[in-house]
Amino acid sequence: MTALLEFKQKIKNLYGQYEIYILPVMKFVLALVYFIWINANMGYMSQLDNIFVILILALICSILPPSVTIFCGFVLMVGHCYALGIEVAAFMLVLILFMMILFLRFSAGMNIVLVFTPLSFGFNVPALLPIGAGLLSSPLSALPAGCGVIVYYFIRFLRQQSKVLQNPDVVITEKLKLMADGIVQNWAMWVTVIAFVLVVLLVNLIRTRAFDYAWRIAIVAGGVTYVLIILAGGFFFNVSINMVLLLIYAVVSVVVGIILEFFVFGGDYSRTERLEYEDDEYYYYVKAVPKASVATTERSIKKINAEPIREEKKAEEQVVSYANPIFHGDEKIVEKAVEEAGTVAQKPEMEDVDFEKKLEESLKDL
């Protein structure tokens, strides 16, 4: 446990020291993965399904706010829908505007959850998204989470019906009706939307309570609630569900959520303190949970150069040149100084002096 705490502290220190470089890289990677996912599941317009276009868009998103990533994703979706037909692009644009006007404008600052939602389905851990949003964000993050589910299922619907939508023999009204039914009568999508919204609200509600281990209880409760809602929705709306995969993905999401709790929160409930105090108007009951941390020591290695002092020194460093006296008439003084300097230069080194002999002579004199 101590090793994990030290590792966590090192990561925090590293991020705090290089945040200015790490944050743009993370935004670049997120945008790149998101755009690749869009092209992999749509890819109807060859001009947009290009790695260089994706890299340029990801670089732009890395230096701009996260809302730009959402906007660029919407542009890619509308562009690919236009390759299927202008009526498909118009329907997609109306759907995006509908979500932005009715829902996303209330959750500004948390709409990046909409980007993570289809990626959670892509990595087969859909339950992780509502659990993580409930832990790290506010209840309003349920709005972009639900909108992200709608976007994911509509893109999957377009992929399944792409041949019909590209058929020029099918009239526009039939295409519009087909797409409307693909949203309104897609019961699996609505069950998932309900599950995401309820799990986000439940996890956030439990996480903000004052009892011990609230974060871990919220994670487990969120995973169990997600499984129960999906199973109940599949039973009532006759939706086929692979129960084994659902349980496996839910367990993986819970485990990842516990790891996330360790790195983000990591409270040490064994040292919990409860304080009570009052002022003229209120009584205060405070519960203080210290963070689990260890003191990390920084080792500094100093190299000491133990090379011996050179015995032979350059004569230029020992002899001072008095060849150019400043005042006239001081030639004799200069010559005397040169003789003294030569005498000093010829003095033996301290290592050549016989101290024992000198000591014996001094004792004889005494």
Side-chain angles (χ1 to χ4, degrees), residues 8-78:
K8 171 186 174 181
Q9 191 64 33
K10 289 179 181 179
I11 291 178
K12 292 177 64 177
N13 294 337
L14 181 66
Y15 180 80
Q17 186 177 1
Y18 300 102
E19 179 182 3
I20 191 174
Y21 307 107
I22 295 176
L23 191 58
V25 172
M26 294 175 63
K27 292 166 65 176
F28 171 79
V29 173
L30 175 62
L32 182 64
V33 174
Y34 183 51
F35 298 153
I36 290 176
W37 179 86
I38 293 175
N39 284 343
N41 287 270
M42 301 183 80
Y44 309 118
M45 183 177 287
S46 59
Q47 292 83 355
L48 296 178
D49 191 9
N50 191 320
I51 187 61
F52 296 104
V53 175
I54 298 304
L55 288 174
I56 293 173
L57 290 177
L59 286 174
I60 294 174
C61 295
S62 65
I63 60 176
L64 294 177
S67 58
V68 178
T69 303
I70 303 173
F71 176 77
C72 291
F74 286 156
V75 171
L76 287 176
M77 294 175 191
V78 175

Side-chain angles (χ1 to χ4, degrees), residues 177-300:
K177 183 178 182 303
L178 179 64
M179 289 184 288
D181 292 339
I183 291 181
V184 176
Q185 298 183 3
N186 194 338
W187 303 117
M189 181 191 73
W190 291 116
V191 170
T192 308
V193 169
I194 295 173
F196 270 53
V197 173
L198 291 181
V199 170
V200 170
L201 296 178
L202 178 65
V203 171
N204 186 266
L205 177 65
I206 298 176
R207 191 262 298 177
T208 54
R209 299 307 94 188
F211 52 82
D212 292 349
Y213 303 100
W215 282 59
R216 297 178 186 178
I217 295 174
I219 294 170
V220 176
V224 173
T225 302
Y226 179 83
V227 172
L228 293 178
I229 293 176
I230 295 297
L231 291 177
F235 176 77
F236 285 108
F237 295 101
N238 195 20
V239 178
S240 61
I241 297 173
N242 192 331
M243 186 177 298
V244 176
L245 291 179
L246 176 64
L247 293 176
I248 293 175
Y249 296 153
V251 171
V252 173
S253 301
V254 169
V255 172
V256 176
I258 293 175
I259 297 174
L260 183 66
E261 181 266 342
F262 172 77
F263 283 98
V264 176
F265 179 69
D268 187 1
Y269 289 99
S270 62
R271 298 186 292 126
T272 302
E273 297 181 4
R274 289 175 172 80
L275 308 176
E276 298 181 11
Y277 55 94
E278 62 178 285
D279 59 12
D280 295 337
E281 297 181 356
Y282 295 96
Y283 293 97
Y284 298 93
Y285 301 91
V286 180
K287 178 182 179 180
V289 181
K291 294 182 179 180
S293 61
V294 292
T296 57
T297 58
E298 296 183 359
R299 299 180 180 178
S300 59

Side-chain angles (χ1 to χ4, degrees), residues 91 157 172-182 185:
F91 190 91
F157 171 79
I172 296 178
T173 55
E174 292 183 0
K175 292 182 180 180
L176 294 176
K177 183 178 182 303
L178 179 64
M179 289 184 288
D181 292 339
Q185 298 183 3

Side-chain angles (χ1 to χ4, degrees), residues 135-172:
L135 291 176
L136 305 179
S137 189
S138 71
L140 289 177
S141 60
L143 297 177
C147 293
V149 173
I150 295 175
V151 170
Y152 168 76
Y153 274 93
F154 186 69
I155 290 176
R156 193 173 73 168
F157 171 79
L158 292 179
R159 184 175 59 183
Q160 295 172 352
Q161 303 295 333
S162 59
K163 293 182 179 180
V164 178
L165 295 173
Q166 287 178 328
N167 189 355
D169 297 333
V170 180
V171 296
I172 296 178

